[in-house]
Amino acid sequence: MPLVSSCDCPHLDCVGEITKEELIQKSHGQCQDCKVGGPNLWACLENGCAYVGCGESHTDHSTVHSQETRHNLTVNLTTLRVWCYACGKEVFLERKLGPHSPHTNSKPLPSSQSAGQVKAGLTGLKNIGNTCYMNAALQALSNCPPLTQFFLECGGMVRTDKKPALCKSYQKLVSDLWHKNRPSYVVPTNLFQGIKAINPMFRGYSQQDSQEFLRCLMDQLHEELKEPMPEPYDQSNGITVDEGPEEDNRSQSDNDFQSCESCGSSERADNEVQGGNVRMDDTNEAEMLIPEQDDIQANREWQKEKNMINDLYRAGVHGVMGGNSGGDMDKDVDTTTETTPIISSQGAIKVQGRTSVTTFSPPKNKRQKKYRSVISDVFDGTIVSSVQCLTCDRVSVTLENFQDISLPIPGKEDLAKLHSSTHQTSMVKAGSCGEAYAPQGWIAFVMEYIKRCVCVWFWGPVVTLQDCLAAFFARDELKGDNMYSCEKCKKLRNGVKFCKMQSLPEILCIHLKRFRHELMFSTKISTHVSFPLEGLDLQPFLAKDSSAQTTNYDLLSVICHHGTASSGHYIAYCRNDANNLWYEFDDQSVTEVSESCVQNAEAYVLFYKKSNEDAVKERRRVSGLFSMMEPSLLQFYISRQWLNKFKTFAEPGPISNDDFLCSHGGVPPNKATFIDDLVIMLPQNVWDHLYSRYGGGPAVNHLYVCHTCQIEIEKLEKRRKSELDMFVRLNKAFQEEESPVVIYCISMQWFREWEGFVKGKDNDPPGPIDNSKITVNKNGHLTLKQGADSGQISEETWNFLHSIYGGGPLVTVRPNISHQEAESSQSEEKIEMETRSL
């Protein structure tokens, strides 16, 4: 139930002063009437009343107490949320839980009556129906300076045509949270609606997982803001160098961002043809693709041309695959005569009566471009996984990108193993791909080992964040049922697996696996995990060949969960970047807290930022250079986004002016209209200093719209129109054909990629037609796989697409005679059903 402000409840004057520590202590007690224990006990908040009673899950003595004593306010000792019996709703205390207590570690922020005094970044979020999981995640993310400063200072770069435009909703929310004159809380309605639109999990008002919300949000932000990474440019011949097949390596693990597809998930529902079939009826797709043709004589001539297409295709289709036409769609010498194009045996559209030729070159396999966004810049790191065969010493290595790391919480036996001498000093034989911790002095190690063992076996596990990291990166022996299939030995062998960090993210997001979800029930691991506020060192978990310079991290924010696996409440502790003080964000409530309060928190998700004192000094040095600016100096343009990295990153990396430049050195036409949002002008002395220190570039002292890119855009539009027009005509003829002898099948996945290309949603044409996923081999013959995501097209359409893109294999189906005798309105549906049942 959503929270309401304190002014809506007239009974708050009866609340006595009580600290959160006192409430937590009461939560370990029991109902004063029936002696039942927690969770979800309720404590009376009436001044001078110390009653604690059970809730509705038992005999609801807390309600009975309120009715008998007329004490209206009670607080849930698990979630620390307050209910007023008289008002019949949840209320907000404006942090009356002990701000004046001499033992408290918290200080209240100004209430809504003094909203003008609220400091930037200390704005609460209203709970709009069990959304504490979202509010805690948003506050933790909002207190990550590199990301927040991007949305505040580089707002002009937040552009997308993808629905639901979550990046714009998040930008508006960040602006509200960090505005100096905002009220004490804002309502994140637009962002919540956007999340629900892309992920049904968050629809409704049930409690959800805060970490899953974070992944969903950041995945969508990356998807909407991503841009292809620039490719090397060969200045000698003016072409982009092809470095071979590339992949969007963000798709290598389940917690990574998805690689780009030609049809975005938010738009695919509008683009898919009914039933997965390219033969279209009265759909929006048909209205877009199929123009009206009323001339019967033109249809007759078109039928002749279709026959000619097939004849020419059969005569020389294999020559298409070896064509070297270069794909220049701008070679039309004269287009004054309107004629009907036909497909030649060389895959070209010839205009009859003229000598001009527009050529189609079959492209290579479509390379998966690498993409980047502010999300990947801030949160992406790389883990290298190494598996060594213990027989032949062969080592196989895999690189995986990660956005966050999910760490196990080790138990007693795991801790004993982690801190045992055999684990500390064990190493694989010579040539090993990894090691455990660096060796220590034996006296210090023995003392630490004894201390650990005593604590573990007598007082329970004392778990640190370093223990969780060590458990994650510990070597894993592959033996027994989990033996390693060695490619060199060609057999199952005993092996050992190691994981190390290859590159470190600017902000490290750590998720502690507190919840275990079984088939019928879920449990929560409530073990306290101690974590440092400063100086988290990742050096022990770094790969030997890693180029990482900064390995120390300081804590930015913590998401905490109070309660059980089935019910509970999320809050966040965040360090304000402006004053370095810690605050508790509990929905609408924002309260200053001590460092000890943060360290005692039951952490669920932690955000750490790289700590580099040299970067702070460098920023001061550059600020001094601005004061020495001379009017006569040249002005240089620099990427606004890189400058934001310089201000907030510990390691900003090389200057990346490719953010606003094309591969030819000019401004891409599609970015020219908002170039002021992409660049900042610097005096020459500042540019020279930054360039000498960080490298990168290129140096830019004037901007111009790239003429080469403009020509390429025009060529691309010409090609799209030509392909689309030809497909429309062929598909129109196919629809009008009453009883086709044979129907050709095509992968809808490939067709959607092609469709995205000709509609301008993807600048890259698809690769060769790939029907491998819709076919199955039966007795040496390829047939359509049952339930395959396939569409039906005519022979002429297949020949047309294949002449341009190549690929295969060829898949055909023949309609049943009984279907041909049925009514034409029903025939297409039955043909589709028959096709899918083969």
Side-chain angles (χ1 to χ4, degrees):
M1 180 175 295
L3 292 174
V4 296
S5 64
S6 58
C7 59
D8 293 334
C9 178
H11 308 94
L12 293 178
D13 294 337
C14 300
V15 177
E17 297 295 346
I18 186 171
T19 67
K20 180 176 293 187
E21 288 74 13
E22 291 172 336
L23 292 179
I24 294 176
Q25 184 177 2
K26 287 186 176 183
S27 68
H28 300 300
Q30 56 188 5
C31 175
Q32 295 180 10
D33 291 323
C34 64
K35 308 304 179 184
V36 69
N40 293 324
L41 294 174
W42 293 81
C44 181
L45 291 179
E46 186 78 13
N47 191 10
C49 181
Y51 180 82
V52 175
C54 58
E56 294 179 353
S57 58
H58 297 285
T59 53
D60 203 7
H61 284 121
S62 59
T63 302
V64 175
H65 170 77
S66 173
Q67 294 172 346
E68 293 178 348
T69 61
R70 296 185 177 240
H71 293 176
N72 297 317
L73 293 173
T74 182
V75 59
N76 186 294
L77 294 178
T78 299
T79 64
L80 300 184
R81 303 176 82 164
V82 180
W83 180 265
C84 178
Y85 287 103
C87 297
K89 59 187 177 183
E90 188 175 1
V91 296
F92 179 54
L93 289 182
E94 299 289 356
R95 304 311 300 167
K96 293 197 68 167
L97 299 181
H100 306 295
S101 171
H103 304 291
T104 185
N105 289 322
S106 61
K107 300 178 183 178
L109 289 178
S111 64
S112 58
Q113 284 80 4
S114 56
Q117 302 175 7
V118 177
K119 297 179 181 178
L122 303 182
T123 306
L125 290 172
K126 185 172 183 178
N127 190 306
I128 50 180
N130 245 347
T131 56
C132 60
Y133 68 91
M134 177 181 71
N135 292 347
L138 291 175
Q139 295 287 12
L141 206 60
S142 169
N143 281 274
C144 296
L147 185 64
T148 294
Q149 290 304 312
F150 169 83
F151 281 97
L152 292 177
E153 299 185 6
C154 305
M157 302 178 64
V158 182
R159 299 170 181 269
T160 184
D161 56 357
K162 299 178 181 178
K163 298 178 181 179
L166 202 65
C167 60
K168 296 181 180 179
S169 299
Y170 183 76
Q171 180 189 25
K172 176 65 166 58
L173 179 66
V174 169
S175 300
D176 291 345
L177 291 177
W178 288 85
H179 199 286
K180 293 183 179 179
N181 297 320
R182 297 300 300 176
S184 59
Y185 67 89
V186 295
V187 186
T189 305
N190 291 338
L191 188 137
F192 187 42
Q193 295 297 331
I195 283 289
K196 292 193 291 185
I198 61 176
N199 196 324
M201 175 196 308
F202 301 106
R203 296 172 187 172
Y205 294 95
S206 60
Q207 183 64 267
Q208 301 294 336
D209 188 276
S210 188
Q211 190 255 350
E212 290 180 355
F213 173 85
L214 272 172
R215 283 187 175 179
C216 179
L217 173 62
M218 289 195 284
D219 281 356
Q220 185 65 20
L221 290 178
H222 169 77
E223 186 67 25
E224 293 179 358
L225 296 174
K226 70 181 181 182
E227 289 190 348
M229 297 177 66
E231 298 176 348
Y233 181 71
D234 188 349
Q235 298 286 352
S236 61
N237 55 14
I239 62 172
T240 301
V241 179
D242 186 357
E243 294 183 333
E246 293 180 348
E247 296 181 354
D248 185 352
N249 53 11
R250 304 185 58 79
S251 61
Q252 295 184 14
S253 65
D254 60 353
N255 61 340
D256 295 336
F257 301 108
Q258 295 180 354
S259 60
C260 177
E261 296 178 350
S262 59
C263 293
S265 58
S266 59
E267 300 170 338
R268 181 161 298 171
D270 297 329
N271 297 334
E272 288 184 351
V273 184
Q274 287 186 348
N277 194 313
V278 184
R279 291 190 72 172
M280 292 165 286
D281 298 317
D282 296 330
T283 64
N284 293 333
E285 193 72 26
E287 294 175 4
M288 197 285 294
L289 291 177
I290 304 173
E292 295 183 2
Q293 297 184 9
D294 298 327
D295 192 348
I296 300 177
Q297 182 63 29
N299 289 337
R300 292 177 180 173
E301 294 178 356
W302 176 242
Q303 186 64 41
K304 294 180 181 179
E305 291 171 10
K306 287 199 303 175
N307 296 334
M308 189 177 298
I309 287 173
N310 292 331
D311 293 339
L312 293 172
Y313 176 80
R314 297 188 186 99
V317 67
H318 298 293
V320 175
M321 301 307 296
N324 54 3
S325 55
D328 187 357
M329 292 294 296
D330 200 36
K331 290 185 179 180
D332 293 329
V333 179
D334 189 354
T335 57
T336 56
T337 304
E338 294 184 5
T339 56
T340 305
I342 64 172
I343 300 180
S344 73
S345 60
Q346 298 302 318
I349 291 184
K350 290 186 177 180
V351 183
Q352 294 177 335
R354 312 295 297 182
T355 57
S356 61
V357 177
T358 302
T359 58
F360 291 92
S361 64
K364 301 177 182 179
N365 288 335
K366 184 178 180 181
R367 293 180 292 111
Q368 292 291 331
K369 285 189 174 181
K370 293 182 178 180
Y371 291 86
R372 55 157 297 278
S373 71
V374 63
I375 297 296
S376 60
D377 289 346
V378 174
F379 294 99
D380 269 16
T382 309
I383 286 180
V384 54
S385 299
S386 306
V387 180
Q388 181 180 15
C389 174
L390 295 183
T391 301
C392 68
D393 287 341
R394 181 184 182 275
V395 177
S396 61
V397 180
T398 304
L399 286 175
E400 292 181 322
N401 273 14
F402 68 89
Q403 168 189 327
D404 57 18
I405 299 181
S406 295
L407 302 182
I409 300 178
K412 289 184 179 181
E413 295 182 358
D414 299 320
L415 283 176
K417 181 178 179 181
L418 283 172
H419 297 284
S420 66
S421 58
T422 55
H423 178 79
Q424 290 281 350
T425 57
S426 62
M427 295 176 60
V428 189
K429 54 186 178 178
S432 167
C433 55
E435 303 137 353
Y437 295 109
Q440 309 174 27
W442 70 271
I443 297 179
F445 169 75
V446 170
M447 296 300 295
E448 179 65 21
Y449 176 71
I450 294 174
K451 178 182 176 182
R452 285 277 181 173
C453 288
V454 170
C455 291
V456 168
W457 292 108
F458 290 92
W459 288 284
V462 179
V463 184
T464 67
L465 188 59
Q466 287 282 348
D467 293 331
C468 299
L469 286 165
F472 180 86
F473 289 104
R475 73 172 190 173
D476 184 14
E477 295 183 359
L478 307 178
K479 59 184 180 180
D481 294 336
N482 196 28
M483 292 179 71
Y484 166 60
S485 179
C486 180
E487 295 182 6
K488 183 177 180 180
C489 299
K490 306 297 182 184
K491 292 182 180 180
L492 290 175
R493 298 291 194 186
N494 289 337
V496 61
K497 180 179 180 180
F498 289 89
C499 292
K500 292 288 184 179
M501 287 189 174
Q502 184 68 28
S503 63
L504 300 178
E506 182 64 27
I507 290 184
L508 175 66
C509 179
I510 296 177
H511 162 233
L512 297 178
K513 294 182 178 180
R514 290 199 175 273
F515 298 102
R516 292 178 179 174
H517 302 287
E518 305 295 339
L519 185 61
M520 299 296 294
F521 58 90
S522 298
T523 58
K524 178 184 175 182
I525 302 174
S526 298
T527 303
H528 176 72
V529 177
S530 63
F531 50 89
L533 299 185
E534 296 179 348
L536 175 65
D537 189 10
L538 297 185
Q539 181 65 45
F541 314 108
L542 208 60
K544 287 183 177 180
D545 58 345
S546 172
S547 59
Q549 300 295 320
T550 304
T551 61
N552 285 327
Y553 284 79
D554 295 339
L555 188 65
L556 288 176
S557 53
V558 188
I559 299 175
C560 305
H561 180 268
H562 300 304
T564 64
S566 58
S567 65
H569 181 58
Y570 286 97
I571 65 170
Y573 293 105
C574 306
R575 179 173 59 84
N576 186 270
D577 191 55
N579 58 19
N580 267 347
L581 297 177
W582 284 93
Y583 295 87
E584 178 191 89
F585 293 84
D586 186 354
D587 288 335
Q588 291 176 236
S589 169
V590 182
T591 308
E592 182 182 338
V593 295
S594 65
E595 292 185 353
S596 61
C597 179
V598 178
Q599 288 182 311
N600 291 327
E602 189 175 299
Y604 180 49
V605 179
L606 304 102
F607 288 88
Y608 279 91
K609 185 183 182 298
K610 276 184 180 178
S611 174
N612 188 348
E613 192 62 31
D614 291 339
V616 178
K617 295 178 180 178
E618 182 62 23
R619 286 192 280 270
R620 294 172 183 166
R621 187 177 298 113
V622 171
S623 297
L625 290 176
F626 271 99
S627 62
M628 297 185 294
M629 181 179 64
E630 298 179 9
S632 60
L633 291 177
L634 284 174
Q635 300 289 308
F636 283 81
Y637 294 94
I638 193 169
S639 165
R640 185 184 293 268
Q641 188 167 357
W642 184 87
L643 204 58
N644 180 66
K645 288 184 182 180
F646 173 74
K647 294 178 180 178
T648 58
F649 279 42
E651 296 176 334
I655 298 172
S656 54
N657 281 348
D658 291 324
D659 292 345
F660 64 89
L661 297 177
C662 68
S663 57
H664 314 109
V667 178
N670 62 329
K671 293 184 177 180
T673 56
F674 55 93
I675 187 63
D676 290 340
D677 296 330
L678 306 180
V679 301
I680 290 179
M681 293 186 67
L682 298 178
Q684 184 176 358
N685 62 332
V686 178
W687 165 262
D688 290 341
H689 176 81
L690 292 175
Y691 183 75
S692 64
R693 180 172 179 83
Y694 296 102
V700 180
N701 55 22
H702 73 284
L703 300 174
Y704 62 92
V705 179
C706 180
H707 180 66
T708 304
C709 284
Q710 186 63 47
I711 294 176
E712 290 179 352
I713 290 174
E714 293 172 358
K715 289 181 180 180
L716 193 62
E717 290 303 317
K718 209 171 195 178
R719 172 177 177 175
R720 284 172 172 150
K721 185 178 185 305
S722 181
E723 288 190 26
L724 184 57
D725 289 346
M726 179 64 75
F727 174 82
V728 165
R729 301 186 69 188
L730 291 170
N731 191 68
K732 178 69 172 178
F734 183 41
Q735 287 193 3
E736 294 175 350
E737 190 173 357
E738 294 183 359
S739 55
V741 178
V742 64
I743 295 175
Y744 285 64
C745 299
I746 192 168
S747 166
M748 284 300 297
Q749 180 179 349
W750 182 91
F751 179 79
R752 284 188 286 264
E753 292 183 6
W754 174 83
E755 188 180 42
F757 167 66
V758 296
K759 287 183 176 182
K761 296 174 182 176
D762 188 359
N763 289 330
D764 297 321
I769 299 172
D770 183 10
N771 279 347
S772 60
K773 295 181 180 180
I774 67 171
T775 59
V776 61
N777 193 324
K778 292 185 177 180
N779 300 324
H781 298 284
L782 289 178
T783 60
L784 187 66
K785 184 186 298 184
Q786 183 176 2
D789 186 18
S790 64
Q792 297 176 355
I793 58 176
S794 67
E795 180 183 6
E796 293 82 10
T797 306
W798 168 266
N799 293 344
F800 167 67
L801 294 174
H802 191 275
S803 66
I804 300 173
Y805 295 99
L810 182 67
V811 186
T812 61
V813 294
R814 296 185 180 275
N816 192 298
I817 296 178
S818 62
H819 293 161
Q820 297 180 12
E821 296 174 353
E823 294 181 3
S824 59
S825 62
Q826 299 176 354
S827 176
E828 291 178 0
E829 296 180 5
K830 292 183 178 180
I831 289 173
E832 180 185 347
M833 293 175 61
E834 180 69 18
T835 301
R836 293 185 175 276
S837 65
L838 289 177

